[in-house]
């Protein structure tokens, strides 16, 4: 990657090194697959790099996050990956210990893949990236109301699949 | 979430966040991630360039079909062809470049590139240069802040195209130089050394994808390279050795300055650089066989593909 002309001293690689691990995990949640996640990250980085000099001083993480989500959305729309939501989510709530004996990664992967793309993006942005409703709406290009409704639907699905609050409250 | 009440809902969300954090794997990035990203950037550039060219072709075809005129052989992309000969309304977007009325630009640095027919490129002091050995060999120059393509960014062996990894900054310029076959000039009526000033749709797609808005283009005869490396040449503005090649055709060096919203000063710089191109005799004793940049505090050596 040695460049002639000294074009690599602009901090982009350092930025990737710092944000890459979190970004890759976010991509995994969006795709449910490690290889697709890396491909998604690389595609997003390839879109952002040419604009780096314009965005590096203005919240580049947010720009990259938005690019990641919109890229995944475009994949979803074009069905490039042949990915479809699962019709049913494996019910693992009956496991004696929610986490013991369960491959949490597998469980979580199955659960998020069961969500439609938009709901999945809402979950990732709101509950993994800890963005607020307004910020999530901005990234997804929709209204706050849509984020709330998509969030509620997603949580209902996840509640049925994940070992969250196993005991019902009185 | 409301059926449990606020506290219960908050607890559930906390648990969900914990699950997401714990259940999401921590895969490691491949060691060559940046190389792969760079390759994606190049492919994206090339697709956009091809798309822009196709769009221009379609646009010209439509325009030609709408304008009454003599029988046409079909759309031609060459901007320097007389528009009237194509039956297309002449556009003022391509003119001979004339220097703006600004103070003369000092070209104090020199890039010597034997692999480009002995090219001697003079640039302002602060500019940077690079050479991609190819084949085909390519050279680039730009002021600070301009990303110069390198070997890894070029698909030189296959297409001779390179893509900088970012757009031109506002007011920026990228000068690119390459040897081309004389056949590619057939039918063109622009004299060697005459700088063409292209604007609007006349700007090449390879420039527009960098957000370029204006382009200065010039060519110089070089003679056909005698081998895959450097060509013979003599000092002077004509470039090459003045002899026809085996098949009777000469090669030429094409220099393009892609500019984005240039200031008069920047335009003058770019034009002066293109007008100031000369060629040195290559392959003689005492002549450094390597492409080199002299007189610059940050000397840049060529890279290899």
């Amino acid at each position: 990657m040695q460049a002639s002309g000294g074009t690599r001293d602009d901090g982009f690689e350092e930025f990737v090194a710092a944000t890459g691990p979190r970004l890759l995990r976010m991509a995994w949640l969006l795709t449910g697959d490690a290889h697709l996640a890396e491909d998604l990250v690389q595609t997003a980085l390839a879109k952002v790099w040419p604009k780096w000099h314009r965005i590096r001083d203005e919240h580049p993480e947010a720009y990259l996050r938005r690019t990641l989500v919109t890229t995944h959305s475009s994949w979803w729309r074009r069905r490039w990956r042949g990915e479809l939501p699962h019709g049913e989510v494996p019910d693992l709530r009956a496991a004696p210990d929610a986490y013991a004996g369960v491959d949490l990664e597998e469980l979580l992967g199955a659960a998020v893949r069961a969500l439609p793309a938009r709901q999945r993006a809402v979950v990732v942005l709101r509950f993994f990236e800890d963005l607020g409703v307004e910020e999530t709406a901005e990234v997804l290009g929709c209204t706050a109301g849509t984020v709330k409704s998509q969030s509620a639907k997603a949580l209902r699905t996840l509640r049925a699949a994940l070992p969250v609050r196993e005991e019902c409250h009185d | 979430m409301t059926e449990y009440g606020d506290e219960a809902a908050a607890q559930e969300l906390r648990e969900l966040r914990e699950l997401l954090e714990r259940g999401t794997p921590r895969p490691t990035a491949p060691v060559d991630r940046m190389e792969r990203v760079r390759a994606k950037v190049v492919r994206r550039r090339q697709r956009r360039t091809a798309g822009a060219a196709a769009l221009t072709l379609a646009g010209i075809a439509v325009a030609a079909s709408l304008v009454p005129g003599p029988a046409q052989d079909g759309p031609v992309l060459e901007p320097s062809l007389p528009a009237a000969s194509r039956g297309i309304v002449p556009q003022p977007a391509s003119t001979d470049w004339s220097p703006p009325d600004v103070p003369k630009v000092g070209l104090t640095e020199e890039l010597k590139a034997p692999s480009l027919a002995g090219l001697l490129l003079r640039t302002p002091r602060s500019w940077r240069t690079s050479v991609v050995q190819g084949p085909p060999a390519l050279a680039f120059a730009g002021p600070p802040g301009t990303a110069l393509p390198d070997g890894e960014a070029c698909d030189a062996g296959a297409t001779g195209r390179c893509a900088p990894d970012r757009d031109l900054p506002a007011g920026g310029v990228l000068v690119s130089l390459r040897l081309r076959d004389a056949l590619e000039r057939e039918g063109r009526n622009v004299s060697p050394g005459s700088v063409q000033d292209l604007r609007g749709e006349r700007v090449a797609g390879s420039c527009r994808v960098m957000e370029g808005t204006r382009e200065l283009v010039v060519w110089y005869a070089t003679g056909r390279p005698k081998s895959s490396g450097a060509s013979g040449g003599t000092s002077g503005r004509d470039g090459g050795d003045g002899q026809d090649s085996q098949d009777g055709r000469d090669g030429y060096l094409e220099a393009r300055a892609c500019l984005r919203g240039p200031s008069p000063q920047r335009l003058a710089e770019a034009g002066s650089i293109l007008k100031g191109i000369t060629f040195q005799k290559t392959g003689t004793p005492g002549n450094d066989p390597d492409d080199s940049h002299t007189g610059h505090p940050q000397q840049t050596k060529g890279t290899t593909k």
Side-chain angles (χ1 to χ4, degrees):
Chain A
M1 187 64 88
Q2 182 58 44
S4 61
T7 60
R8 295 293 172 275
D9 57 355
D10 54 5
F12 184 74
E13 290 190 32
E14 290 77 6
F15 169 74
V16 173
T19 60
R22 184 74 181 176
L23 201 68
L24 188 53
R25 298 183 74 208
M26 185 178 163
W28 183 89
L29 279 173
L30 287 170
T31 63
D33 178 274
H35 296 291
L36 284 181
E38 178 60 31
D39 195 19
L40 179 59
V41 168
Q42 289 177 18
T43 302
L45 291 173
K47 290 180 177 178
V48 167
W49 199 350
K51 306 181 186 310
W52 175 244
H53 66 286
R54 292 208 299 260
I55 65 167
R56 63 184 168 192
D57 298 326
E58 299 176 5
H59 308 297
E61 298 92 345
Y63 189 92
L64 183 53
R65 194 161 50 209
R66 180 200 300 264
T67 303
L68 192 81
V69 171
T70 54
T71 299
H72 178 253
S73 296
S74 70
W75 284 6
W76 179 268
R77 281 194 299 272
R78 288 191 278 186
R79 303 286 187 194
W80 271 10
R81 309 294 155 174
E83 183 187 12
L84 291 169
H86 290 194
E88 296 179 359
V89 180
D91 184 5
L92 298 174
R93 298 184 69 207
D97 178 339
Y99 298 149
V102 173
D103 186 334
L104 193 55
E105 177 183 325
E106 186 178 332
L107 171 63
L108 188 62
V112 295
R113 280 194 298 270
L115 297 173
R118 177 57 67 93
Q119 290 181 29
R120 199 184 306 175
V122 168
V123 167
V124 171
L125 291 172
R126 287 213 59 202
F127 305 117
F128 185 70
E129 287 295 300
D130 273 335
L131 298 189
V133 172
E134 297 291 343
E135 289 176 290
T136 303
E138 186 182 340
V139 170
L140 296 177
C142 63
T143 66
T146 300
V147 170
K148 289 178 182 175
S149 65
Q150 294 287 301
S151 178
K153 288 177 184 174
L155 286 175
R156 273 200 295 275
T157 305
L158 291 177
R159 189 182 297 139
L162 295 172
V164 178
R165 298 191 63 82
E166 287 186 290
E167 301 299 327
C168 285
H169 288 245
D170 295 336
Chain B
M1 305 300 296
T2 54
E3 67 255 39
Y4 301 150
D6 290 345
E7 180 57 35
Q11 174 65 21
E12 186 180 25
L13 291 182
R14 277 195 295 274
E15 290 182 21
L16 175 59
R17 287 193 168 96
E18 182 191 342
L19 267 179
L20 289 173
E21 196 61 46
R22 288 180 55 185
T24 305
R26 300 174 186 274
T28 54
V31 293
D32 61 344
R33 173 189 271 175
M34 293 308 295
E35 283 72 19
R36 295 186 194 184
V37 172
R38 178 190 286 268
K40 282 179 181 284
V41 172
V42 172
R43 286 198 295 273
R44 283 173 56 81
R45 292 278 192 204
Q46 290 172 346
R47 280 200 299 270
R48 289 171 64 186
T49 302
L55 202 60
T56 304
L57 190 65
I60 290 175
V62 169
S65 68
L66 294 177
V67 177
Q72 298 157 26
D73 294 328
V76 180
L77 275 177
E78 172 50 50
S80 57
L81 256 179
S85 70
R86 289 181 273 145
I88 296 176
V89 176
Q91 300 203 9
S94 174
T95 60
D96 285 339
W97 176 77
S98 57
D101 186 18
V102 296
K104 188 173 171 59
V105 180
L107 306 180
T108 58
E109 308 306 310
E110 291 182 347
L111 170 70
K112 297 175 181 175
S115 60
L116 282 160
L119 167 72
L120 182 59
L121 183 72
R122 297 178 179 83
T123 65
R125 182 170 182 75
S126 61
W127 279 47
R128 298 188 301 184
T129 57
S130 71
V131 175
V132 176
Q133 298 294 1
L138 307 160
F140 302 94
T146 301
L148 301 183
D150 60 23
E152 293 178 13
C154 297
D155 187 17
T159 65
R161 289 177 178 167
C162 295
D165 56 33
R166 60 191 192 201
D167 296 338
L168 283 174
V173 56
L174 175 68
V175 174
S176 56
L177 308 104
R178 61 177 297 202
L179 295 176
R180 307 198 70 169
D181 191 286
L183 277 179
E184 299 175 84
R185 283 221 65 79
E186 285 187 354
R188 305 185 188 192
N189 62 352
V190 178
S191 305
S194 172
V195 177
Q196 294 291 293
D197 185 357
L198 310 180
R199 307 184 199 200
E201 68 176 25
R202 305 289 179 130
V203 174
S206 57
C207 178
R208 289 202 298 269
V209 297
M210 291 188 286
E211 306 292 340
T213 58
R214 195 165 174 177
E215 200 171 26
L216 301 181
V217 183
V218 67
W219 70 277
Y220 296 98
T222 62
R224 173 157 294 266
K226 290 180 171 57
S227 66
S228 59
S231 74
T234 55
S235 297
R237 299 301 298 272
D238 289 340
D241 53 13
Q243 298 176 1
D244 287 347
S245 59
Q246 293 175 351
D247 54 5
R249 289 183 283 108
D250 287 339
Y252 69 98
L253 180 128
E254 181 183 75
R256 313 184 77 97
C258 177
L259 303 111
R260 181 179 182 186
S263 64
Q265 186 69 33
R266 182 66 83 206
L267 204 57
E269 274 183 342
S272 298
I273 290 168
L274 297 195
K275 295 286 281 186
I277 288 173
T278 58
F279 298 85
Q280 288 192 319
K281 190 171 184 176
T282 58
T284 55
N287 204 6
D288 184 352
D290 293 331
D291 298 327
S292 64
H293 189 140
T294 60
H296 194 294
Q298 292 178 310
Q299 177 172 323
T300 304
K301 300 290 282 188
T303 59
T304 55
K305 169 83 174 162

